[in-house]
Amino acid sequence: MSDQGKGSASTSASAPAPGSDTYKGWLFKWTNYLKGYQRRWFVLSNGLLSYYSRNVGGGSAPNHTRQPSACERRCVAQLLAHLVSTG
């Protein structure tokens, strides 16, 4: 089985502002380069999922951005919301 697409959650996330569809938080992403899970700051906003090597301010470019499927967006949003409520 491929390790691609695997991920796990850490315990730090920020709650979205009321009426906002932006979710942010730390998740672990599988990287083939380093052959293991690496902590990345993920942002789900306006239907786009981006990740950064570190929690950065507004001016930094993400490592990667893509438009996930509706199912993926719901899963990531639920995961990050869960981290906020339990963290």
Side-chain angles (χ1 to χ4, degrees), residues 19-59:
S20 171
D21 67 344
T22 299
Y23 295 85
K24 302 175 184 180
W26 290 106
L27 298 173
F28 285 91
K29 179 190 177 303
W30 179 261
T31 60
N32 288 326
Y33 176 71
L34 296 171
K35 303 273 191 237
Y37 289 100
Q38 301 297 314
R39 193 168 96 145
R40 299 291 185 249
W41 181 253
F42 278 81
V43 177
L44 176 64
S45 180
N46 299 320
L48 294 176
L49 181 63
S50 303
Y51 72 87
Y52 303 80
S53 295
R54 60 182 74 82
N55 182 356
V56 292

Side-chain angles (χ1 to χ4, degrees), residues 7-19:
S8 67
S10 78
T11 58
S12 174
S14 61

